[in-house]
Amino acid sequence: MVKFSDLKPGESAEIVGYNTGDSQYKSKLLSMGLVRGVRLKVLQVAPLGDPVKVAVLSYRLSLRKEEANVLMLERV
């Protein structure tokens, strides 16, 4: 398992579950298609470290590291 904030540009991970956290933000992630089994790839990290640009499904998305740590990921 790896936290979202530990991923570096070029690394890919698969969503395997969700940590306890802000349930409202978790539902936003789910509505954006970040469900179990989906793979994401880190494309770019902002100069100060936040947000992070990822490729997921057929689109690109910017996420804040601390909020996205609700995702349980596994490197692929």
Side-chain angles (χ1 to χ4, degrees), residues 31-71:
S31 68
M32 289 186 279
L34 298 174
V35 296
R36 284 189 179 114
V38 169
R39 290 185 180 189
L40 56 87
K41 181 177 182 178
V42 176
L43 300 175
Q44 201 172 22
V45 178
L48 295 176
D50 237 5
V52 177
K53 184 178 179 181
V54 297
V56 60
L57 301 171
S58 62
Y59 59 94
R60 297 183 187 330
L61 182 65
S62 291
L63 299 170
R64 292 185 184 133
K65 286 182 180 180
E66 289 306 311
E67 292 174 337
N69 275 335
V70 74
L71 297 170

Side-chain angles (χ1 to χ4, degrees), residues 22 30 39 46 76:
D22 185 359
L30 289 168
R39 290 185 180 189
V76 288

